[in-house]
Amino acid sequence: MTAVDYFRVVPGAPLRGTTTVPGDKSISHRGVLLGMLAQGETHIRGWLPAGDTESSLRTVQALGVPVERHSATELTLRGGELTPPSGPLNLGNAGTGIRLMAGIMAGQPFPSVLDGSEQLRRRPMNRIIAPLTQMGAKISGTNGRAPLTIEPAALHGIRYEMPVASAQVKSAILLAGLFAQGETVVVQPGPARDHTERMLRAMGAPLEVDGNTVTIGPTDGLKPVDFTVPGDASSAAFPVVAALVVPGSDITLTNINLNSTRTGLFDVLQAMGAQLEIVETGLAAGEPVGTIRARHSQLKGIEVGGELVVRMIDEFPIFMVAALAAEGVTVVRDAQELRVKETDRIAVMSAELRKLGAQITETEDGFVISGPQRLTGAEVEGHDDHRIAMSMAVAGLIASGETRVIDAKCAADSFPGYAETLRGLGAEIEQLALPPVGTKSG
Ligand code: S3P
């Protein structure tokens, strides 16, 4: 029997002060997955020690790559030579981990099986199986889902026009392209996050970017890099929205990744009237980093659609909370990808927010919210989806009475220490565990 863990949230207290957030999840995944291909020692500081990234790291180790752990957030790995794994590679809940790993494994001279949690097994994999198969890969899924079975095959370059703007799909194809004969060209419909391109270029890969088109050629070897992962803009989104919606708040977050493929939420919030000051202070891991100051603001409703959606794709759960606090109507379109994330984030967020009394109209590719709305504290669920659990905790900060978010531990898939970070800013939130059902007290 396992204990039921939950966030207990009480509204009212303003968030104030200066802090930062853990390292970027996307860059941490790429650091170890690309590092294992580089000839020599890759040194990573600011690594995200979270559920998803640790799953990627374990698979790298299962491929025979030595990893020296200097601390929770600092590691060195010696890449260049992979050995066949002794069993299936388990990517846990990590969609990025399994899709990028599939591109890499398609080019290896040994077979592999990629698998993960029940939740990961529900996510669509045809989006990578189709282009990798076009490249000559021998990869098959189970009804288009994990587990994925990969056999050695000779790969050749292709030109691929992606039907959806997905950085995971783009990255899987580019990584397979490293092992393919000839050039591989990926055309994306919109500006999906470009961390793979930045890192591959820093490692000396023959990669060119022209607008939304990325071209890569095969390489004899990548050179290892030494870098510091900046704070994750997607994690920063939670304290930022919390500060905007809780009266009296004024917070500053330092060392945040400000890559423009990731900052769509901040642009939208500013257009809604948010007092958000963003200052670029330098570069880390080839990415712009800087400081974000967020102060309580009366937000106004807005319409979001088109290319902006991919630049804030992970932020829609927390954006729903901002929309509930905003005056007027917020309409989101073109966001159907939300339905195939860790959960169907349109359906799950709408259902959980309704438990707090919210009124939300779901559409096939988004939602409509009229605000501001009054929320009432209640018991809600995290659904083993980190961004749902963290968003619901912020909703609890503007709901009257107490809110309990059951299944809080999934927040650590991307943001270890979430409750501590918000509490450090003054919010009344704690992560607690109820004893297992049937446990006798006394
Ligand atoms: C990611 C890409 C996005 C994003 C995910 C991380 C990445 O997924 O939602 O959290 O690191 O490449 P898609 O590629 O499916 O859009």
Side-chain angles (χ1 to χ4, degrees):
M1 266 185 292
T2 46
V4 177
D5 63 287
Y6 65 99
F7 289 130
R8 178 180 169 274
V9 185
V10 179
L15 289 85
R16 304 185 76 87
T18 300
T19 188
T20 188
V21 298
D24 188 285
K25 179 154 83 73
S26 293
I27 298 174
S28 294
H29 276 300
R30 286 159 175 80
V32 295
L33 294 175
L34 274 64
M36 82 174 174
L37 301 176
Q39 309 290 326
E41 285 192 351
T42 292
H43 185 197
I44 307 176
R45 273 166 267 99
W47 157 264
L48 172 67
D52 278 12
T53 46
E54 293 289 339
S55 293
S56 280
L57 182 60
R58 275 193 296 275
T59 62
V60 165
Q61 289 174 298
L63 289 162
V65 174
V67 175
E68 199 185 331
R69 196 78 186 236
H70 310 291
S71 70
T73 58
E74 183 175 356
L75 53 93
T76 302
L77 51 99
R78 172 166 286 279
E81 209 178 311
L82 306 185
T83 54
S86 60
L89 297 170
N90 181 355
L91 278 308
N93 276 352
T96 304
I98 195 166
R99 294 193 176 117
L100 270 60
M101 192 58 109
I104 295 171
M105 287 296 110
Q108 302 309 310
F110 52 79
S112 54
V113 175
L114 307 184
D115 204 355
S117 64
E118 282 305 312
Q119 186 197 75
L120 192 66
R121 283 180 171 200
R122 288 196 289 272
R123 299 186 65 184
M125 293 296 150
N126 276 340
R127 51 182 60 198
I128 53 158
I129 293 173
L132 292 175
T133 303
Q134 281 184 32
M135 294 177 81
K138 286 195 183 136
I139 173 168
S140 57
T142 314
N143 294 325
R145 297 176 201 274
L148 302 173
T149 303
I150 301 173
E151 298 290 335
L155 305 184
H156 53 83
I158 55 167
R159 178 185 168 85
Y160 190 70
E161 307 221 354
M162 295 200 304
V164 280
S166 158
Q168 294 176 357
V169 175
K170 171 175 64 172
S171 301
I173 301 169
L174 294 176
L175 292 171
L178 291 172
F179 305 100
Q181 206 172 46
E183 273 188 350
T184 299
V185 182
V186 184
V187 185
Q188 38 181 355
R193 65 191 69 192
D194 63 353
H195 310 302
T196 302
E197 294 94 304
R198 286 173 191 252
M199 204 175 285
L200 280 173
R201 225 195 262 117
M203 296 173 120
L207 181 132
E208 272 168 40
V209 180
D210 180 9
N212 281 333
T213 301
V214 189
T215 304
I216 195 165
T219 173
D220 291 339
L222 298 174
K223 61 174 200 280
V225 284
D226 183 324
F227 63 93
T228 302
V229 181
D232 198 321
S234 296
S235 296
F238 300 101
V240 162
V241 171
L244 294 177
V245 298
V246 175
S249 298
D250 182 354
I251 66 162
T252 299
L253 302 175
T254 57
N255 187 38
I256 306 301
N257 185 0
L258 297 178
N259 180 323
S260 65
T261 62
R262 299 288 302 280
T263 51
L265 173 75
F266 305 136
D267 294 347
V268 169
L269 291 170
Q270 279 173 331
M272 293 169 84
Q275 299 188 72
L276 208 55
E277 288 158 36
I278 301 177
V279 181
E280 225 175 280
T281 52
L283 277 176
E287 308 261 345
V289 295
T291 296
I292 303 177
R293 180 176 179 198
R295 281 177 280 175
H296 173 248
S297 310
Q298 181 51 61
L299 303 175
K300 298 232 179 313
I302 196 168
E303 293 196 14
V304 178
E307 287 199 351
L308 196 47
V309 168
V310 67
R311 295 181 50 237
M312 58 181 288
I313 192 65
D314 290 337
E315 280 60 79
F316 284 100
I318 188 63
F319 179 62
M320 278 188 166
V321 179
L324 285 167
E327 212 173 85
V329 183
T330 294
V331 182
V332 170
R333 296 190 190 88
D334 306 320
Q336 58 275 10
E337 272 295 296
L338 294 175
R339 298 209 179 266
V340 291
K341 294 295 176 190
E342 282 82 336
T343 57
D344 175 340
R345 286 180 169 161
I346 297 174
V348 170
M349 270 309 286
S350 300
E352 294 308 318
L353 286 168
R354 282 185 196 119
K355 293 179 185 170
L356 303 183
Q359 290 190 9
I360 297 167
T361 306
E362 287 177 56
T363 59
E364 209 173 302
D365 64 346
F367 51 87
V368 181
I369 291 177
S370 290
Q373 295 190 24
R374 288 168 100 95
L375 303 179
T376 309
E379 186 171 296
V380 297
E381 307 274 339
H383 295 262
D384 197 23
D385 182 339
H386 51 135
R387 302 201 201 283
I388 301 286
M390 291 189 279
S391 300
M392 291 310 299
V394 175
L397 293 176
I398 51 166
S400 61
E402 180 180 307
T403 294
R404 288 185 175 203
V405 186
I406 306 295
D407 187 15
K409 66 176 182 313
C410 63
D413 274 351
S414 65
F415 197 150
Y418 179 64
E420 289 79 356
T421 299
L422 290 188
R423 204 172 51 244
L425 291 168
E428 263 195 71
I429 171 171
E430 47 188 344
Q431 186 167 343
L432 299 166
L434 285 174
V437 181
T439 307
K440 290 205 177 90
S441 56

